[in-house]
Amino acid sequence: MREMIDRLAPGDRLPSSRELIRRFQVGPATVSQAIATLAAEGLVVTRPGSGTYVAARAQRRAEVADTAWQTVTLADRTVDTRILTGAVGAPPAGTIMLDGGYLHRSLQPTQILTAALARAARRPDAWDRAPASGLTALRSVFATMAGGGVSADDILVTAGGQSALSMAFRAIAAPGDPVLMESPTYPGAIAAARAAGLRPVPVPMDADGLQPGLLADAFAMTRARLLYCQPACHNPTGTVLAPQRRRQIIDAARAAGAFVIEDDFARHLGHGTPVPPPLLADDRDGTVVYLTSLTKPAAPSLRIGALVARGPVMERLRATRLVDDFFVTRPLQETALELLSSPTWERHVRSLAAALRERCGALAAAVAHELPDWTLTRIPTGGLHLWVRLPYGTDDTVVADTARQHGVAVSAGNRYFATELPAAYLRLGFAATADRTELIEAARRLASVHEHAAGRP
């Protein structure tokens, strides 16, 4: 119909609906929807009792606006998103995506979500204003998931994990303050901290996670009042904080009078073994501000998460929510509630665990076979990624760029460090690909990239 409109002049009448049904061999509802879409785009106008006509074509401005003055007015407050977006532009067709942070469509509970959304939409109050803290029933479900004596009053529903992280940074710390972070860490946390005017300060990790002694030193040297960490299935390394360190981390923060933002993004991304309880469960003084999300284990557009906080910091978070956007859209909250309240959710989590374990093993085995010079730091027990150390002298950015040219998208390790890199790494995701076959093929393509970088024929 768009092609037909292009051939007509403004004011020309389109064929009747009956003629369009016959011409395109579709039903009346399809024709009505198409005309409504074209009318919304401004391409046609409908006149009841008369028909549908080609709309007047808008005149395009030939001149380009001069916006140079904005550079001076905006001053130096740039939000650098390059650490989040990686390579510029869409990947070429046929690229195997190992740099994704979400589930492939085949792993998403699409049918469950569709049914949940349909049930949510039928509620008589589905489009009413939601409470600023979130629906009481949904907050109760999140409280049960968090455990540790958390109640619905301790929950603030958020528009996903990234929104929760941004809110927490802005609510807890002031511009110019330092914020301690594991090194390496999630690039979205680095970007959100910098956007809030904070100064990320890296604290090294080892095989058991964040090092308590170095953390205490960092608190003392920087006088930081905020720590961001991922104790379970850390992104990107997959590290799980050792049990004996859990209390040490909380005690170090408590001694410094600091908050701990615990990012529990992998709560539903275990590979079959139980994910350790959150640090929140060991917190008796409101030190831990906990966040989790449904986006990773469900689908990218289910932007629903939760913050858990106790004491005055929760009032600060609620105030930030009101200033930002008043509340999270109610239909999405209702959908999340329907999803979490259904027995199919637990079945999905169990089947997802098996699929992630199988994919993780397949990619790890393929990398070990095809790229023996690359070092897998560990086989993770949860999460969506492998963390691979490259041979000495390798440039991770060059490898990532070359891999993209060879049809594999990977994440260069430099995105995960707030300061200088101790070595060259890649993060390889195993959840965004279509199947096991793609993972094995990706490893083969990466092997050719490695040979090319090493100068071997």
Side-chain angles (χ1 to χ4, degrees), residues 299-318:
S301 283
L302 187 64
R303 307 301 300 177
I304 291 290
L307 278 165
V308 181
R310 289 168 282 192
V313 68
M314 174 52 90
E315 296 308 313
R316 184 75 62 86
L317 288 165
R318 288 194 184 110

Side-chain angles (χ1 to χ4, degrees), residues 66-251:
D66 180 6
T67 60
W69 64 272
Q70 295 183 5
T71 301
V72 177
T73 302
L74 289 171
D76 186 18
R77 290 200 312 162
T78 302
V79 178
D80 190 351
T81 59
R82 289 173 297 180
I83 196 171
L84 295 174
T85 56
V88 177
T95 299
I96 300 175
M97 306 302 292
L98 299 189
D99 67 342
Y102 299 109
L103 300 180
H104 187 268
R105 189 173 297 170
S106 63
L107 297 178
Q108 297 171 20
T110 307
Q111 291 184 338
I112 303 173
L113 282 169
T114 300
L117 180 61
R119 290 194 300 271
R122 288 195 294 268
R123 296 187 178 187
D125 57 354
W127 294 98
D128 289 354
R129 175 172 178 153
S133 294
L135 300 179
T136 302
L138 181 58
R139 289 189 286 120
S140 296
V141 173
F142 274 121
T144 301
M145 288 166 48
V150 173
S151 72
D153 291 337
D154 302 323
I155 302 290
L156 178 66
V157 176
T158 67
Q162 188 66 26
S163 173
L165 190 55
S166 178
M167 286 176 58
F169 281 145
R170 289 182 290 115
I172 297 172
D177 285 354
V179 53
L180 306 186
M181 294 182 168
E182 297 151 321
S183 184
T185 193
Y186 167 51
I190 300 174
R194 287 175 174 161
L198 309 184
R199 296 185 292 108
V201 177
V203 181
M205 302 171 63
D206 60 19
D208 289 327
L210 193 61
Q211 300 185 55
L214 295 178
L215 175 63
D217 291 343
F219 273 128
M221 287 187 292
T222 65
R223 303 191 178 211
R225 294 294 179 264
L226 185 60
L227 164 67
Y228 166 80
C229 64
Q230 305 167 82
C233 309
H234 174 270
N235 176 16
T237 67
T239 304
V240 176
L241 184 66
Q244 66 273 16
R245 292 189 178 181
R246 294 167 58 90
R247 189 70 239 172
Q248 293 174 303
I249 299 300
I250 295 176
D251 287 345

Side-chain angles (χ1 to χ4, degrees), residues 4-5 7-15 42-47 50-57:
M4 178 176 61
I5 290 168
R7 295 192 297 268
L8 297 174
D12 285 352
R13 187 177 184 275
L14 268 63
L43 297 179
V44 299
V45 292
T46 57
R47 298 171 186 166
S50 176
T52 304
Y53 297 83
V54 178
R57 293 181 172 86

